[in-house]
């Protein structure tokens, strides 16, 4: 019986000019963006499901406000 390892994707959400932008270096994903953070997170999750071919994966998120240049809690 084969083993499958859990894949990890580190995703940064950056709030800049009233738009949320997602960046994930592990899979080379950049550019998912929108005014609503939850919609952007959903697009990212769907994109990662395709990338990982429906294998198990975990998203580790960091949220940044570009104006503050530090992690922040979304409004």
């Amino acid at each position: 019986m084969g083993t499958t390892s859990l894949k990890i994707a580190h995703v940064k959400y950056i709030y800049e000019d009233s738009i949320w932008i997602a960046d994930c270096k592990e899979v080379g994903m950049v550019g998912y963006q929108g005014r609503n953070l939850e919609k952007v997170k959903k697009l990212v999750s769907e994109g990662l499901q395709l990338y990982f071919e429906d294998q198990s994966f975990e998203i580790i998120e960091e949220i940044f406000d570009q104006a503050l240049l530090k992690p922040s809690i979304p409004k």
Side-chain angles (χ1 to χ4, degrees), residues 3-33:
T3 61
T4 58
S5 61
L6 180 67
K7 310 293 185 200
I8 304 290
H10 294 84
V11 180
K12 291 182 183 177
Y13 296 99
I14 303 165
Y15 188 68
E16 183 176 347
D17 297 328
S18 300
I19 294 177
W20 288 101
I21 303 167
D23 178 13
C24 180
K25 301 273 189 246
E26 285 96 348
V27 300
M29 178 178 62
V30 188
Y32 285 102
Q33 57 185 313

Side-chain angles (χ1 to χ4, degrees), residues 31-67:
Y32 285 102
Q33 57 185 313
R35 295 193 182 277
N36 182 292
L37 179 59
E38 292 309 312
K39 287 183 182 178
V40 174
K41 286 182 175 186
K42 184 176 185 226
L43 290 171
V44 166
S45 180
E46 290 170 356
L48 289 171
Q49 284 175 342
L50 289 172
Y51 179 82
F52 289 125
E53 299 176 341
D54 291 325
Q55 295 178 24
S56 297
F57 66 93
E58 179 182 353
I59 299 173
I60 298 175
E61 300 176 333
E62 289 183 277
I63 299 174
F64 292 89
D65 184 328
Q66 190 67 11

